[in-house]
Amino acid sequence: MRILLVEDEPTLNAQLTLALETAGYVVDACTNGRTAWALGDVETFDAVVLDLGLPEMDGLTVLKRWRTAGQSMPVLILTARDSWHEKVAGIDAGADDYLTKPFHTEELLARLRGLIRRASGHASPVLTCGPIELDTRSSRVTLEGQHIPLTSHEYKVLAYLMHHANAVVSRTELTEHIYAQDFDRDSNTIEVFVGRLRKKLGTQFIETVRGLGYRLAVPT
Ligand code: CA
């Protein structure tokens, strides 16, 4: 799952980037509205954390432009304390949730998990596929109750597939959601990660759809 973080305060930006990466997300971080707008327009994100008070282009304008252009990713806005009108304007501009500064990182992470799972139609923070369980709160994966250690890339691939269970996901789409923009992306590595996941979890869950990509088949 890939997050765009837009926060102009350098310390908070660095803190949140670290917290998000530790939680298993891929993060593209930026510090001004113009860059944020451009990134959100061309790259694909599973959620955005958007501060409203930004240099070059304010967060509200960025959000309105995305929504006008049809960008529908979940957006969580960060608002200043005691400014209820910012929240109202933000939600009316297309924000899905908000947090008032200062906030606890844990709350930000919980709200993001909620936004991401609702965007893909999941009600519970624990995603299941037959005997496989993926807990989005702890980034832990179990098979028949046994903990299966995964590398961070294996986890990112599995988490994306489980959020989009039963759908065909192309290698390009997976690549876009497990690497940040400035990363040297190689879609061949996806095949390697899928191979390792099959070894660890069993070969029957991740199907190869010839010429199209992969599908996580949930047993019925
Ligand atoms: Ca700010």
Side-chain angles (χ1 to χ4, degrees), residues 7-8 51 53-54 101:
E7 168 57 62
D8 59 316
D51 185 30
L54 292 171
K101 289 179 173 179

mmCIF file of all heavy atoms in Angstrom, residues 7-8 51 53-54 101, ligand 1:
data_model
loop_
_atom_site.group_PDB
_atom_site.id
_atom_site.type_symbol
_atom_site.label_atom_id
_atom_site.label_comp_id
_atom_site.label_asym_id
_atom_site.label_seq_id
_atom_site.Cartn_x
_atom_site.Cartn_y
_atom_site.Cartn_z
ATOM 1 N N GLU A 7 3.327 17.302 3.963
ATOM 2 C CA GLU A 7 3.459 18.041 5.226
ATOM 3 C C GLU A 7 4.704 18.904 5.106
ATOM 4 O O GLU A 7 5.783 18.403 4.818
ATOM 5 C CB GLU A 7 3.576 17.029 6.391
ATOM 6 C CG GLU A 7 4.003 17.613 7.716
ATOM 7 C CD GLU A 7 3.074 18.731 8.194
ATOM 8 O OE1 GLU A 7 1.890 18.463 8.411
ATOM 9 O OE2 GLU A 7 3.560 19.874 8.325
ATOM 10 N N ASP A 8 4.528 20.222 5.319
ATOM 11 C CA ASP A 8 5.658 21.125 5.086
ATOM 12 C C ASP A 8 6.561 21.286 6.300
ATOM 13 O O ASP A 8 7.663 21.829 6.171
ATOM 14 C CB ASP A 8 5.157 22.501 4.618
ATOM 15 C CG ASP A 8 4.223 23.147 5.615
ATOM 16 O OD1 ASP A 8 3.343 22.426 6.131
ATOM 17 O OD2 ASP A 8 4.357 24.348 5.880
ATOM 18 N N ASP A 51 -1.675 17.866 4.642
ATOM 19 C CA ASP A 51 -1.757 19.041 5.500
ATOM 20 C C ASP A 51 -2.448 20.143 4.696
ATOM 21 O O ASP A 51 -2.273 20.219 3.479
ATOM 22 C CB ASP A 51 -0.332 19.468 5.903
ATOM 23 C CG ASP A 51 -0.346 20.614 6.891
ATOM 24 O OD1 ASP A 51 -1.309 20.702 7.677
ATOM 25 O OD2 ASP A 51 0.610 21.415 6.885
ATOM 26 N N GLY A 53 -2.346 23.628 5.467
ATOM 27 C CA GLY A 53 -1.514 24.822 5.378
ATOM 28 C C GLY A 53 -0.185 24.484 4.717
ATOM 29 O O GLY A 53 0.703 23.927 5.343
ATOM 30 N N LEU A 54 -0.074 24.784 3.411
ATOM 31 C CA LEU A 54 1.125 24.392 2.643
ATOM 32 C C LEU A 54 1.642 25.560 1.818
ATOM 33 O O LEU A 54 0.844 26.378 1.356
ATOM 34 C CB LEU A 54 0.773 23.255 1.674
ATOM 35 C CG LEU A 54 0.421 21.890 2.238
ATOM 36 C CD1 LEU A 54 -0.112 21.017 1.105
ATOM 37 C CD2 LEU A 54 1.639 21.235 2.884
ATOM 38 N N LYS A 101 -4.291 18.839 14.461
ATOM 39 C CA LYS A 101 -2.957 18.888 15.072
ATOM 40 C C LYS A 101 -3.050 19.498 16.464
ATOM 41 O O LYS A 101 -3.817 20.448 16.641
ATOM 42 C CB LYS A 101 -2.031 19.757 14.211
ATOM 43 C CG LYS A 101 -1.656 19.116 12.895
ATOM 44 C CD LYS A 101 -0.766 20.104 12.136
ATOM 45 C CE LYS A 101 -0.206 19.469 10.878
ATOM 46 N NZ LYS A 101 0.638 20.410 10.119
HETATM 47 CA CA CA B 1 1.572 23.261 7.388
#
